[in-house]
Amino acid sequence: MDATAMLKEFCEAVEKRNGKRLAALFAEDGVYHDVFYGAFAGRGKIAELIDDWFYRTARDFRWDMHDPLCDGRTLYAHYTFSYVSTLPEAEGRRVGFEGVAMMKLRDGLIQEYREVANVGPAFVALGFAPERVCKILAREGEALGKTPRMKRHVA
């Protein structure tokens, strides 16, 4: 499967709440590092992330990947992501953000998915109190400092 087809399948699986479909894109021991929920290792946990965690407080997901770059070992894409929040303070608003998806590939499957996203504006749009936004972003900053960076591959 080429990079564009993989990204299309990835986004559609999330939008259709089909965790098993998304997990099939990952190696058996693959890991999905979600910007909100943390690391989910193995196909079963990745499917759970989509079917349970993503849809716990949101619905009507829209995920689009743009300008993919792939050398067969690493896949990068800019993305736009939005959803309708079901959190009480969000009052059913659609919120969105932009990010970059970074995937390590092995044998045509995703070994590791990481992302960097500008989520601050989404928290404000959700109606979160400024103190809550600061607390969440501080925790994210701490986690980022502890996260190993993907090794750069030179062709």
Side-chain angles (χ1 to χ4, degrees):
M1 178 180 311
D2 73 0
T4 301
M6 177 181 276
L7 293 174
K8 184 176 190 310
E9 182 74 7
F10 188 103
C11 294
E12 284 182 4
V14 172
E15 292 174 350
K16 295 180 187 299
R17 194 178 188 171
N18 191 334
K20 187 174 180 180
R21 181 176 168 190
L22 178 76
L25 297 172
F26 282 77
E28 287 286 339
D29 61 346
V31 181
Y32 187 120
H33 296 272
D34 184 73
V35 72
F36 290 114
Y37 300 116
F40 289 74
R43 288 182 176 158
K45 290 292 185 184
I46 292 167
E48 179 184 318
L49 169 65
I50 302 310
D51 295 338
D52 299 334
W53 290 82
F54 270 37
Y55 282 83
R56 189 172 289 170
T57 58
R59 62 178 171 77
D60 300 331
F61 287 87
R62 177 72 180 160
W63 201 341
D64 294 298
M65 299 276 189
H66 312 279
D67 306 318
L69 294 172
C70 185
D71 67 0
R73 295 174 297 187
T74 307
L75 170 58
Y76 294 97
H78 168 251
Y79 68 77
T80 51
F81 183 81
S82 69
Y83 57 90
V84 174
S85 176
T86 59
L87 293 170
E89 59 267 64
E91 301 173 344
R93 285 183 290 241
R94 177 167 286 281
V95 296
F97 54 90
E98 291 182 284
V100 175
M102 302 165 286
M103 301 177 205
K104 286 184 184 178
L105 306 175
R106 185 181 73 210
D107 300 325
L109 297 171
I110 302 166
Q111 176 61 43
E112 182 178 16
Y113 172 89
R114 292 189 180 275
E115 57 192 350
V116 177
N118 184 13
V119 297
F123 293 135
V124 172
L126 285 169
F128 287 5
E131 300 80 23
R132 184 175 181 192
V133 173
C134 289
K135 185 177 178 181
I136 293 168
L137 294 178
R139 190 170 54 236
E140 184 180 320
E142 289 172 15
L144 185 61
K146 296 175 186 173
T147 302
R149 302 286 184 251
M150 293 182 76
K151 292 180 182 171
R152 184 174 178 202
H153 295 286
V154 179

